[in-house]
Amino acid sequence: MILTVTLNTALDITYRVPALRPHASHRVSEVLERPGGKGLNVARVLAALGHEVTATGFTGGTTGRVVRELLTADGGVIDALVPLAGTTRRTIAVVDDLTGDTTQLNEPGPLVTPAEWSAFQQTYDRLLASADAVALCGSLPPGVPVGAYAGLVRAARAAGVPVLLDTSGEPLRRAVAARPDLIKPNADELAELTGSHEPLRATRDARRRGARTVVASLGAEGLLAHTPEGRWRAIPPARLRGNPTGAGDAAVAGLLSGLVEGLPWPDRLARAVALSAASVPAPVAGEFDRGTYEELLGRVAVTGEADAA
């Protein structure tokens, strides 16, 4: 079982408009609602790939009930979300059909009390006992300690469960020191962590800070991986038009699935890049176009080399 953690879950609402213009009224052509937050997006992609996946984190209020109902209706993801008194946030994506661009509006999360945080930690420890890998994804809601991910990384390592971390800012900086097995920052997050805007140098520095493996997301330029086994670069064969909001989460799902299946790094990276690209034409985050994924998978260019034993 793969465990995903989304402490700041959301109800993702996507509006499509013919053309987005500032200071104007718009007629919405389509509205879509899905369970959201980075870890839930990862979980849904993993389930679509055929993996057993459990999702935990927080939900609350009317919005939280909708998130749980949609998650159950999708099928394939086991709901282990922890209730809280506050109301789950909403995220609004406005897709401009004319340009293909997406404008994102993210609400803050609800306040998590000390008792609710303690209840989550108990659930997390219980789920680790049957997990093959765990992904810690996204922002921290108000009330959760800034060092929360560091503690969750240490708990996973103590349980012998490989842990992937996908967050940013101070939570990332603190958690890297707890030695996660893999971090997946984008270029800006990596530069903020290390102070370097040169990706190869920055990945080396992030490993020195404690991450066992660093896979940097370079947007349309693919992924750069610096691992104990070697260094690789994976580049998609083409740019696709659509909504890139969930592309990074699809890449995380590809990396996790490759990990639990024991794939070599070049194959893991090719899968992650193909999934990321195939998520762009999908209507909402947490989904991917299977035909596009299968067509792209064999065309991802992976270069680099393994270190000598």
Side-chain angles (χ1 to χ4, degrees):
M1 178 268 287
I2 300 175
L3 176 64
T4 71
V5 174
T6 315
L7 297 176
N8 210 2
T9 56
L11 176 64
D12 280 354
I13 303 170
T14 301
Y15 295 137
R16 301 194 73 95
V17 297
L20 183 62
R21 302 183 305 277
H23 318 298
S25 297
H26 296 79
R27 186 174 297 278
V28 176
S29 59
E30 185 180 28
V31 181
L32 298 170
E33 291 186 339
R34 292 292 186 274
K38 293 179 72 66
L40 291 188
N41 293 338
V42 172
R44 292 170 57 224
V45 173
L46 285 167
L49 290 171
H51 285 275
E52 180 185 353
V53 57
T54 297
T56 190
F58 292 108
T59 56
T62 302
T63 310
R65 286 195 294 274
V66 175
V67 167
R68 301 187 87 152
E69 289 169 1
L70 291 172
L71 192 64
T72 302
D74 278 350
V77 178
I78 299 171
D79 177 358
L81 295 165
V82 176
L84 79 170
T87 299
T88 296
R89 66 188 178 126
R90 297 165 298 178
T91 64
I92 311 297
V94 183
V95 180
D96 183 328
D97 286 334
L98 180 64
T99 64
D101 293 336
T102 300
T103 299
Q104 190 81 16
L105 304 173
N106 297 330
E107 295 181 354
L111 178 67
V112 177
T113 67
E116 290 165 343
W117 176 238
S118 178
F120 167 78
Q121 289 177 294
Q122 293 175 23
T123 297
Y124 178 72
D125 289 341
R126 173 178 57 81
L127 292 169
L128 281 177
S130 55
D132 299 311
V134 58
L136 309 175
C137 302
S139 60
L140 300 178
V144 172
V146 70
Y149 279 139
L152 299 181
V153 168
R154 285 191 288 268
R157 288 179 55 82
V161 179
V163 55
L164 182 154
L165 176 68
D166 185 12
T167 189
S168 61
E170 186 64 13
L172 173 60
R173 190 185 69 79
R174 296 201 184 193
V176 163
R179 304 187 66 80
D181 294 275
L182 193 158
I183 63 172
K184 195 214 68 66
N186 62 34
D188 290 340
E189 293 162 350
L190 186 60
E192 183 182 8
L193 173 65
T194 65
S196 174
H197 290 272
E198 199 290 304
L200 185 58
R201 179 181 300 170
T203 57
R204 283 197 296 261
D205 184 71
R207 290 196 66 215
R208 284 194 293 268
R209 291 168 183 259
R212 177 175 170 81
T213 291
V214 181
V215 178
S217 175
L218 306 179
E221 302 303 316
L223 299 175
L224 173 66
H226 195 160
T227 83
E229 292 81 24
R231 290 161 299 282
W232 290 273
R233 179 77 179 270
I235 303 174
R239 291 184 180 225
L240 299 179
R241 183 179 174 182
N243 180 1
T245 305
D249 303 330
V252 168
L255 294 170
L256 275 174
S257 63
L259 168 67
V260 298
E261 293 173 29
L263 297 181
W265 271 108
D267 292 344
R268 293 188 209 182
L269 295 169
R271 176 182 291 182
V273 166
L275 279 171
S276 179
S279 75
V280 173
V284 293
E287 297 180 4
F288 64 96
D289 185 273
R290 188 170 294 274
T292 301
Y293 164 65
E294 292 173 352
E295 191 272 330
L296 292 177
L297 184 58
R299 298 173 55 211
V300 175
V302 182
T303 59
E305 59 183 2
D307 288 339

